[in-house]
Amino acid sequence: MSTESYHTQHAPFGAFASFTVGLVGGAGGFGQSLRGPARQNVYVGFRRGREAWRLLPFFVPPKSSAAVAYTGEAAQVGAPPPEPLRLHSLSPADYERRLDWASDAWTSGGFGFGLRTPFDRIPEPETLSAEAARFHFAPVVCGYLSYDNTAGAEAVELVFGIGEADAQMRPLDDTRPALAGFAGGNLFGYATAPSPDVSLRQGFSVFEDVPRDVRGLHVLGGETALVFKVPAGARREFPLVLGFYQAGVVTTGLTASYAYTRWFDSLEAVLQHGLEQHARYTELALRRDAELAASRLDADQKYLVAQATHSYLASTQLFQRADGRLLWVVNEGEYRMVNTFDLTVDHVFFELAWHPWAVRNTLDLFVERYAYLDEVRTPEGTRAPGGVSFTHDMGIMNHFTPAGRSSYECDNLSGCFSHMTMEQLLNWVLTAVTYAWRTEDWDWLGRNHPVLLRCVDSLERRDHPDSAKRDGILKCDSSRCGTGSEITTYDSLDVSLGQARNNLYLAVKTLGAWILLGRALRRLDDVAAAKRATLAVSRLCRSLVERFEEDTGFFPAVFEQGNHSRIIPAVEGFAYPLYLGMEDELAPLAPLIERLRKHLRGIFKAGVCLDATSGGWKLSSTSTNTWFSKIALCQHVIRRLFPDTLTPEARAADRVHADWQRRRGCGAFAMCDQILSDSGKVCGSRFYPRGVTTYLWLLE
């Protein structure tokens, strides 16, 4: 088994920024709105007396001193060669790492280093006092360095530093004497409290003694560090804070700035706040860690929950619009698309636990700006009015696209980058009813009653505009596709999951949406519309049962072209009624449930939906491209509804899934979603937030 080596994103809530570190031999550091790790050397370690520095392996040794760019070649003639830096890079065998839900810690003998990214249940932001808002929304990460030198006979030094020539740093005490540390302009920085035991270093190398100015620094150099002294016979722990700040308008299309600028006027203010609240943030992080530790999950599953949560937080943004309204965004990892609806619908379980107002905020913006009307192309080749749907996303990299248009969807395609009209219609229904039901926000549900009715019309017409030809399964493509055809969220898989029309996955997701619609409409006392939903559930259930292959014991993934792929997400659509406690709605579906049980019993075999090489889950029997977030979602449904279908090999597969994430391939990009099941290599969706579907495991 290869050595564990993986980056983790350490991120404050709503800042779309992270301090990324952990990959053996890999650079990381401070990153703002990046699609991958920053490229800073991170120097963290210790030395006893004048021994060599022993550093965690988060840096790439420079090939030459940056001073050469200033001194020139002539200045080197006749000069003695520089002494090699006395640095020892620790190997994974020299230290232990523990990743928890809100903490990440490394220990080596008496040395300790850790980062803490606490998260908490956040009430409606507009109801918070300024003090509470500052605590929840401060763009700060807390950390510490410690050393137990009680048995030592000489002093020990600890170091935390950053090296990157392109991120020229400045001493913070030039602008805020109460802070000891450094900042990269006004965008990011790190600090501790001034103390006789703390000193600053800056130069072309923080491990060389010269040159130094009157303060003992050389601000021309691109490397900075804090050095902490632990006397012989003592134990010390030093607080560390890492902060981010970006002022002014940072978006286009919609004018918005970071919400935290409402409560903080500078990077220095953020760092000062982080030090003042360090103990409180630490206590909160340890509380989250204890909650995960007390769960029934095994060690591999706990790791997956922790790694996923860290990457989710790193993709979050909380903006303030020009009119003062808050605007919530989750970016799509490395792709940086804004509020991709395919992710919103799967983040909903985590978000409703911790910040439910964010779900409502996104739903409202989809209605306000990213809804549209289309026509449908029928199987007979005619065109007819379609109805309402919603875009795949709202833009990319802080640019909000024009109303009714996404950054992703293009015309005249039948594969990746085509339109996802039916998928996004289902996503609005599922997310909206799940939000309203879980929060009991009946006023919001009532205000959106007209939208729900438009969704009912649209769902029916996408089955077929002629009611006599409806069987509940999508048969029509949106006119937006032009000469192409609709796709699903599984855009990079083969036709088994990628094609929307006559697709098993999408049909069961439609069933889940109709179940939720029926409940919502009955709650609204809309008897006529609720009856339409009940009829749709019955019709679709009957149609799916008819498509079960009794001779093979499987459902085909696509109900056309003789498709014989087998898929796990045939059950994905049940996640939402199960989450809302609507098990009674599933009782009338017994004939379908029983056939899905037979289907699952047949696919958890090596070479079908268990990879014959790795043993990991494959979403489709005909594709090795598998998505971990969807595996986690389907695992939850199967453990709730179909536990008897899981073979010992299928139950044990999370060891494989965890190993995918904590080895160098995926590990270089924190949480990854698209993985080749046979090799464990990442093939897309790096730095990805959607792994928080694992939160459902904690509810089992």
Side-chain angles (χ1 to χ4, degrees):
M1 182 178 291
S2 60
T3 299
E4 288 188 6
S5 178
Y6 59 90
H7 270 319
T8 294
Q9 295 178 267
H10 304 90
F13 179 87
F16 195 20
S18 71
F19 185 84
T20 303
V21 73
L23 187 74
V24 175
F30 292 94
Q32 176 85 41
S33 308
L34 299 183
R35 62 181 303 168
R39 299 178 181 178
Q40 299 168 350
N41 276 341
V42 179
Y43 302 120
V44 186
F46 63 97
R47 71 172 176 178
R48 181 177 298 279
R50 303 304 297 175
E51 295 177 356
W53 284 97
R54 298 172 64 81
L55 302 175
L56 293 171
F58 307 150
F59 64 97
V60 179
K63 296 180 180 179
S64 63
S65 173
V68 173
Y70 294 90
T71 58
E73 186 177 281
Q76 308 302 314
V77 175
E83 293 186 10
L85 297 178
R86 301 181 66 222
L87 307 178
H88 173 72
S89 181
L90 298 173
S91 73
D94 298 323
Y95 61 85
E96 293 184 1
R97 181 182 185 183
R98 180 183 176 91
L99 179 68
D100 285 307
W101 208 3
S103 300
D104 201 359
W106 294 259
T107 56
S108 178
F111 171 73
F113 166 64
L115 295 169
R116 290 164 176 151
T117 49
F119 58 96
D120 201 6
R121 289 172 176 83
I122 304 177
E124 296 280 345
E126 301 298 355
T127 69
L128 295 174
S129 66
E131 179 183 0
R134 284 168 62 84
F135 182 78
H136 286 300
F137 302 133
V140 68
V141 171
C142 289
Y144 67 90
L145 286 97
S146 65
Y147 199 90
D148 185 349
N149 200 23
T150 53
E154 55 185 330
V156 169
E157 289 181 306
L158 316 178
V159 65
F160 177 88
I162 298 295
E164 183 191 11
D166 291 336
Q168 198 68 42
M169 306 286 278
R170 60 181 175 88
L172 280 165
D173 60 3
D174 284 356
T175 54
R176 186 71 65 102
L179 296 173
F182 295 91
N186 295 313
L187 295 176
F188 65 87
Y190 63 95
T192 191
S195 161
D197 292 327
V198 178
S199 60
L200 278 67
R201 293 194 179 185
Q202 183 170 15
F204 298 118
S205 169
V206 295
F207 301 105
E208 295 175 349
D209 290 333
V210 291
R212 296 282 184 262
D213 65 15
V214 68
R215 297 175 296 179
L217 307 175
H218 193 196
V219 295
L220 199 62
E223 295 198 343
T224 62
L226 289 167
V227 176
F228 307 84
K229 184 177 181 180
V230 183
R235 185 192 183 282
R236 296 282 190 273
E237 181 171 302
F238 300 93
L240 183 69
V241 292
L242 318 177
F244 301 87
Y245 197 82
Q246 192 169 0
V249 174
V250 295
T251 61
T252 53
L254 286 177
T255 301
S257 56
Y258 276 103
Y260 58 68
T261 60
R262 183 189 296 186
W263 301 288
F264 298 94
D265 61 7
S266 66
L267 175 64
E268 283 86 344
V270 169
L271 294 170
Q272 189 75 54
H273 167 85
L275 282 174
E276 292 169 355
Q277 299 293 326
H278 193 277
R280 188 178 170 197
Y281 283 128
T282 296
E283 189 277 331
L284 182 58
L286 296 179
R287 193 188 313 163
R288 293 288 91 82
D289 293 348
E291 290 169 357
L292 182 60
S295 73
R296 298 179 180 180
L297 304 183
D298 65 29
D300 296 309
Q301 292 167 334
K302 289 175 182 175
Y303 163 78
L304 288 164
V305 170
Q307 181 77 328
T309 304
H310 279 80
S311 282
Y312 166 82
L313 291 171
S315 283
T316 62
Q317 278 177 301
L318 185 61
F319 289 129
Q320 178 176 266
R321 295 170 71 167
D323 60 7
R325 287 182 294 164
L326 293 180
L327 170 58
W328 173 255
V329 166
V330 180
N331 292 271
E332 193 181 345
E334 68 166 320
Y335 307 131
R336 296 181 288 188
M337 281 182 276
V338 175
N339 284 338
T340 300
F341 219 160
D342 301 347
L343 275 67
T344 299
V345 73
D346 289 343
H347 295 160
V348 69
F349 314 108
F350 182 87
E351 292 179 349
L352 287 178
W354 303 100
H355 37 278
W357 47 267
V359 179
R360 184 189 66 240
N361 188 283
T362 303
L363 288 166
D364 287 345
L365 188 55
F366 269 111
V367 172
E368 172 192 333
R369 184 178 172 91
Y370 292 101
Y372 63 86
L373 298 174
D374 70 345
E375 294 183 323
V376 293
R377 189 176 67 237
T378 70
E380 297 79 18
T382 61
R383 286 169 69 108
V388 70
S389 190
F390 305 88
T391 58
H392 167 272
D393 59 78
M394 298 179 178
I396 184 169
M397 188 51 188
N398 292 350
H399 171 64
F400 287 85
T401 44
R405 292 292 172 180
S406 73
S407 67
Y408 174 100
E409 292 161 307
C410 298
D411 302 346
N412 303 315
L413 296 174
S414 295
C416 202
F417 308 122
S418 185
H419 291 265
M420 299 186 190
T421 304
M422 181 64 163
E423 180 91 61
Q424 310 313 339
L425 172 60
L426 295 172
N427 288 344
W428 197 90
V429 169
L430 291 166
T431 307
V433 180
T434 299
Y435 162 76
W437 212 265
R438 191 70 170 191
T439 62
E440 299 184 346
D441 191 346
W442 308 127
D443 288 342
W444 183 89
L445 185 67
R447 291 196 301 273
N448 284 278
H449 187 182
V451 182
L452 292 175
L453 292 178
R454 294 168 66 195
C455 291
V456 168
D457 289 340
S458 189
L459 283 171
E460 289 178 337
R461 298 187 68 80
R462 290 172 202 288
D463 176 354
H464 202 288
D466 183 348
S467 61
K469 296 181 179 180
R470 291 175 189 160
D471 60 7
I473 297 171
L474 175 70
K475 291 179 287 298
C476 300
D477 287 305
S478 172
S479 59
R480 286 201 166 196
C481 296
T483 59
S485 56
E486 283 186 42
I487 58 173
T488 75
T489 182
Y490 293 102
D491 53 1
S492 59
L493 273 74
D494 64 14
V495 70
S496 64
L497 280 166
Q499 174 182 307
R501 189 181 62 250
N502 284 313
N503 183 283
L504 170 64
Y505 148 73
L506 207 60
V508 178
K509 189 171 182 177
T510 303
L511 188 63
W514 278 121
I515 290 171
L516 267 61
L517 273 171
R519 274 290 182 95
L521 293 165
R522 288 193 290 275
R523 171 78 197 189
L524 293 166
D525 293 324
D526 191 334
V527 176
K531 185 176 181 180
R532 292 164 68 185
T534 301
L535 177 62
V537 169
S538 176
R539 180 169 51 214
L540 181 48
C541 179
R542 184 171 58 253
S543 297
L544 286 170
V545 168
E546 290 172 354
R547 284 162 173 77
F548 184 72
E549 299 173 345
E550 296 290 351
D551 56 334
T552 66
F554 294 105
F555 281 101
V558 179
F559 309 131
E560 62 180 40
Q561 304 296 319
N563 183 277
H564 291 291
S565 298
R566 314 305 184 193
I567 61 170
I568 295 174
V571 300
E572 183 181 318
F574 292 127
Y576 302 89
L578 285 174
Y579 173 74
L580 296 177
M582 297 180 181
E583 287 89 347
D584 58 317
E585 298 280 359
L586 304 183
L589 310 182
L592 174 61
I593 297 291
E594 184 54 36
R595 284 162 177 80
L596 284 168
R597 179 171 283 106
K598 292 179 181 178
H599 173 86
L600 292 170
R601 282 176 177 159
I603 65 175
F604 286 122
K605 296 178 180 178
V608 187
C609 287
L610 287 183
D611 191 272
T613 301
S614 71
W617 285 31
K618 293 173 56 181
L619 294 174
S620 170
S621 64
T622 51
S623 178
T624 58
N625 183 354
T626 197
W627 297 5
F628 172 71
S629 65
K630 292 295 195 177
I631 289 174
L633 183 59
C634 292
Q635 281 178 325
H636 172 72
V637 174
I638 293 167
R639 288 197 289 255
R640 288 281 304 275
L641 274 183
F642 310 98
D644 55 310
T645 67
L646 292 171
T647 62
E649 294 78 12
R651 291 180 183 277
D654 276 329
R655 169 58 58 87
V656 178
H657 304 151
D659 284 344
W660 288 344
Q661 301 290 344
R662 57 194 175 204
R663 305 303 180 215
R664 292 194 64 88
C666 292
F669 298 97
M671 193 71 188
C672 297
D673 208 23
Q674 291 193 49
I675 299 165
L676 298 179
S677 61
D678 53 353
S679 64
K681 292 181 179 178
V682 59
C683 59
S685 302
R686 303 162 181 87
F687 254 37
Y688 219 63
R690 189 163 56 184
V692 288
T693 53
T694 52
Y695 181 74
L696 286 168
W697 298 351
L698 297 171
L699 307 180
E700 294 171 6

